[in-house]
Amino acid sequence: MTTFAIEAHGLTKSFGSTHALAGIDLEVPEGRVLGVLGPNGAGKTTAVRILATLLRPDSGTARVAGHDVLTEPAAARRAIGLTGQYASVDEDLTGVENLVMIGRLLHLSARDARARAAELLEQFELTDAGRRLAKTYSGGMRRRLDLAASLVGHPSVVYLDEPTTGLDPAKRDDVWSMVRQLVAGGTTVLLTTQYLEEADALAHEITVIDHGRVIAHDTPLGLKSQLGGQTLVVRPTDIADLPTVTRLLAEVGTREPEHPSEDQVAVPVAGDDALVRTVARLAEEGVAVTELSLRLPSLDEVFYALTGRAESDPALESEGATA
Amino acid sequence: MDALILARRTVTKMVRNPEQFIDVTLQPVLMTVIFVFIFGGAIAGGTEQYLQFALPGIIVQTIMFTSMTIGVNLNTDLKNGVFDRFRSLPISRSAPLLGAVTGDIVRHTIAVGVSLLFGVLIGFRFHTAWYEVVFAVVLMIVFAVSLCWISVLVGMLARSSGAVQGLSFLVVFPLTFGSSTFVPADTLPDWLQGWVAVNPVTHVIESMRGLLVGADYMAPGSDLGTEILWVLASCVVLVSVFFPLATWAYRRKI
Ligand SMILES: Nc1ncnc2c1ncn2[C@@H]1O[C@H](COP(=O)(O)OP(=O)(O)OP(=O)(O)O)[C@@H](O)[C@H]1O
Ligand SMILES: [Mg+2]
């Protein structure tokens, strides 16, 4: 039988007339990574805050590491590490002081707290900056310090709320490998993101939420096949070839090709041979291309595929804004 | 224990932001200069005598303003997410508040110290025993620590640190001016007398006058022991009302 490190049922939460969560179920087996994918305002942060005992749901239940977040919050807190969407480091303290303070609050001795701080700073490449005040850090450094802060107590369940938003690609890769390392060590991770690519790279399972509801839950593979696989993008060298390219892509694609920019053609494709077939067909027709790529669908495309409507529904959006 | 670790954070932050000391140190100095040298002649007929009368009141006023800074600081912590970190840790729920209040004792001590020192420099003289002076300082700090829970509550409830400042002023204003800070209580208008008599600040100031310059400077008919008991009783009331309210506000804060 699977034991779930995180188990939430029917969570609802409203702020005035905004229904941030309208009944959400989340389950994460021990030692696995759940990616929670959703656009701005979907309710990701609200869900994380409830699971981190920072917010009480209006209804529903949640257990973390076997402890009910409502009735045994103290026990739940002992198991969790939280990296919120916005860095919560103390700017008037140095990197070292931030981490040592948390270590001390977690009842490490002064010596152990310093050792743990040094270890984490090393791991997050902040050793040189460790003695500087956090207010002098760049956004990326602050995020990394915040991540380090959430790991001081070796939590068994870690929440990462959009951990790579605002990081450059190299630092994003570092965060990804840090997540993989955590999971290799047996930690359960719940990660929110706006990028399918990120969820695909890290998560064992993905829950897609929108307007406070789960609209899909699957493995990355299953979700991608639901979405019709990847998107093929072609940019012909000569803009005059655009109609030809559009016609060719219509043959390989699963939907009508679109034009993301005026010299590009994009189409969702299924199957492993789409790229090879396209290259062959382009060669036959003698079309030269400057760009040919296969990418995962963007969040817009995910939403289009799952709900048949554009991501930001103006009616619902304005309803949220009035609250 | 957790509160002590967090108190240390408060003190470190205080030292790192010396501008936070500027109001603490400059304000009593300015107040003393303005009241003693500009209005002193008119109010008491002589600056030296007025200094003896006014300095205890000015110290009390200073400490009231320093008690109010805590709300601004805590509100900033709430807004920039530092408290989210604390609240996700397995520490007691009141620890961050207790820590901030404890750390602020340093601020109060500096404020009282600077006021007394400046007073002595410009001619203020103690007419009491050293232990009475020490007791006066301790009593001042006890009062400050009790009063600052109002500010903690305001800091938890207000939407912005600017609002905390505004609301704090609304608290401090009637407390100081409805008391014998600058003029003897019996010269205040009749309609204010009722408030002056129950206002804890009146009793703090009377106690300060009794402990720093002697009974001559206290309101006629008042007794030092009774005044001190009044102060301690007000502290108990302040803490037992505002400490639970502030912790409650902190807990429900999202
Ligand atoms: N404290 C609050 N008061 C009022 N409304 C809130 C509050 N917190 C969240 N909301 C609303 O609840 C909805 C969900 O917000 P939430 O922050 O959970 O979204 P999110 O998925 O994290 O979005 P983002 O990707 O922008 O971080 C939004 O409409 C938001 O405006
Ligand atoms: Mg969010």
Side-chain angles (χ1 to χ4, degrees):
Chain A
M1 202 197 99
T2 339
T3 34
F4 291 108
I6 305 171
E7 218 180 338
H9 294 291
L11 292 181
T12 69
K13 179 76 194 179
S14 301
F15 299 101
S17 63
T18 309
H19 302 297
L21 293 182
I24 274 204
D25 296 335
L26 294 171
E27 280 175 347
V28 194
E30 250 171 40
R32 311 234 99 196
V33 182
L34 176 72
V36 176
L37 184 67
N40 288 135
K44 304 183 293 295
T45 299
T46 307
V48 166
R49 291 176 67 83
I50 290 173
L51 295 174
T53 75
L54 297 182
L55 199 61
R56 290 181 74 87
D58 298 336
S59 66
T61 58
R63 297 177 77 79
V64 176
H67 305 290
D68 190 308
V69 295
L70 290 174
T71 56
E72 315 157 75
R77 269 176 223 131
R78 262 186 283 276
I80 62 177
L82 166 69
T83 303
Q85 186 169 359
Y86 306 101
S88 59
V89 297
D90 191 329
E91 310 218 316
D92 293 322
L93 300 185
T94 65
V96 173
E97 286 169 340
N98 264 289
L99 298 182
V100 169
M101 176 179 71
I102 291 167
R104 299 285 285 143
L105 289 171
L106 291 168
H107 302 128
L108 296 183
S109 70
R111 173 200 295 258
D112 291 348
R114 277 197 300 273
R116 180 70 181 138
E119 188 183 350
L120 284 165
L121 289 171
E122 175 83 49
Q123 191 182 335
F124 286 90
E125 291 169 40
L126 287 168
T127 308
D128 293 337
R131 308 237 155 251
R132 264 169 39 201
L133 295 188
K135 70 169 118 195
T136 68
Y137 284 18
S138 73
M141 292 163 81
R142 241 174 260 209
R143 271 227 83 95
R144 281 180 285 143
L145 180 60
D146 205 31
L147 276 166
S150 67
L151 301 180
V152 173
H154 298 285
S156 63
V157 175
V158 170
Y159 304 120
L160 305 171
D161 195 359
E162 301 194 24
T164 61
T165 305
L167 294 191
D168 65 41
K171 292 295 175 246
R172 190 200 63 181
D173 289 349
D174 289 349
V175 170
W176 286 10
S177 59
M178 189 263 333
V179 174
R180 293 195 181 104
Q181 226 172 300
L182 280 176
V183 177
T187 310
T188 307
V189 176
L190 185 149
L191 154 125
T192 77
T193 179
Q194 301 197 27
Y195 310 107
L196 179 58
E197 193 196 353
E198 180 160 272
D200 182 40
L202 296 173
H204 299 103
E205 283 174 39
I206 300 176
T207 296
V208 185
I209 64 172
D210 185 32
H211 293 295
R213 280 177 208 287
V214 175
I215 58 172
H217 176 83
D218 214 327
T219 60
L221 205 65
L223 189 67
K224 279 185 285 183
S225 70
Q226 251 189 75
L227 298 173
Q230 316 215 53
T231 298
L232 183 67
V233 186
V234 178
R235 189 198 300 263
T237 312
D238 186 351
I239 202 155
D241 286 329
L242 220 51
T244 320
V245 173
T246 310
R247 181 168 50 80
L248 290 182
L249 290 195
E251 291 171 21
V252 291
T254 55
R255 269 214 318 259
E256 278 303 296
E258 289 176 4
H259 298 270
S261 73
E262 49 182 43
D263 59 349
Q264 279 182 318
V265 190
V267 75
V269 291
D272 303 330
D273 60 343
L275 187 63
V276 181
R277 272 169 53 210
T278 309
V279 173
R281 292 289 289 124
L282 287 168
E284 274 172 41
E285 300 273 345
V287 178
V289 298
T290 50
E291 185 190 326
L292 177 72
S293 62
L294 205 50
R295 60 167 171 79
L296 286 173
S298 69
L299 196 56
D300 286 312
E301 291 157 345
V302 170
F303 275 84
Y304 189 80
L306 290 175
T307 64
R309 60 175 171 79
E311 174 203 319
S312 38
D313 186 320
L316 287 164
E317 195 74 353
S318 64
E319 175 193 301
T322 52
Chain B
M1 192 55 218
D2 293 341
L4 283 183
I5 294 164
L6 293 165
R8 194 172 151 185
R9 159 179 182 261
T10 304
V11 175
T12 311
K13 285 168 75 81
M14 221 183 281
V15 174
R16 297 256 162 91
N17 290 300
E19 71 273 9
Q20 286 202 353
F21 282 116
I22 291 182
D23 59 342
V24 167
T25 48
L26 221 55
Q27 201 197 322
V29 170
L30 280 177
M31 276 294 182
T32 314
V33 170
I34 293 173
F35 276 92
V36 175
F37 293 109
I38 301 179
F39 302 139
I43 299 176
T47 50
E48 240 147 84
Q49 221 180 347
Y50 187 60
L51 180 61
Q52 296 295 95
F53 173 80
L55 191 73
I58 290 171
I59 297 175
V60 175
Q61 198 196 28
T62 303
I63 207 100
M64 291 181 50
F65 280 106
T66 58
S67 314
M68 294 296 135
T69 41
I70 193 171
V72 177
N73 291 342
L74 289 176
N75 193 267
T76 313
D77 281 344
L78 270 183
K79 292 281 132 49
N80 62 25
V82 176
F83 273 18
D84 279 353
R85 165 75 58 211
F86 295 152
R87 278 159 23 101
S88 69
L89 293 174
I91 56 175
S92 99
R93 288 258 138 154
S94 53
L97 301 185
L98 281 173
V101 170
T102 313
D104 257 26
I105 291 177
V106 173
R107 190 194 308 279
H108 305 317
T109 313
I110 291 175
V112 177
V114 168
S115 318
L116 280 177
L117 198 72
F118 181 72
V120 168
L121 280 179
I122 61 170
F124 177 81
R125 291 295 170 263
F126 299 108
H127 292 296
T128 50
W130 66 268
Y131 54 85
E132 285 177 290
V133 175
V134 172
F135 183 70
V137 172
V138 172
L139 190 67
M140 239 6 289
I141 290 168
V142 168
F143 181 68
V145 167
S146 314
L147 187 70
C148 79
W149 287 103
I150 298 183
S151 181
V152 174
L153 176 64
V154 172
M156 290 299 114
L157 296 176
R159 283 174 183 274
S160 69
S161 54
V164 180
Q165 221 139 25
L167 286 169
S168 303
F169 195 69
L170 283 183
V171 174
V172 171
F173 199 73
L175 284 172
T176 358
F177 287 93
S179 75
S180 57
T181 309
F182 300 111
V183 289
D186 52 18
T187 65
L188 290 169
D190 287 344
W191 56 266
L192 208 56
Q193 293 295 338
W195 167 238
V196 172
V198 294
N199 182 357
V201 173
T202 307
H203 302 288
V204 179
I205 291 172
E206 293 306 322
S207 309
M208 285 303 113
R209 289 195 178 124
L211 289 167
L212 296 175
V213 283
D216 301 350
Y217 283 83
M218 294 173 66
S222 58
D223 164 65
L224 183 56
T226 320
E227 293 299 328
I228 292 172
L229 282 179
W230 259 101
V231 175
L232 294 176
S234 337
C235 289
V236 170
V237 171
L238 281 169
V239 174
S240 49
V241 172
F242 290 100
F243 172 70
L245 280 176
T247 347
W248 163 81
Y250 170 64
R251 270 182 218 207
R252 65 181 280 279
K253 198 78 203 176
I254 38 170

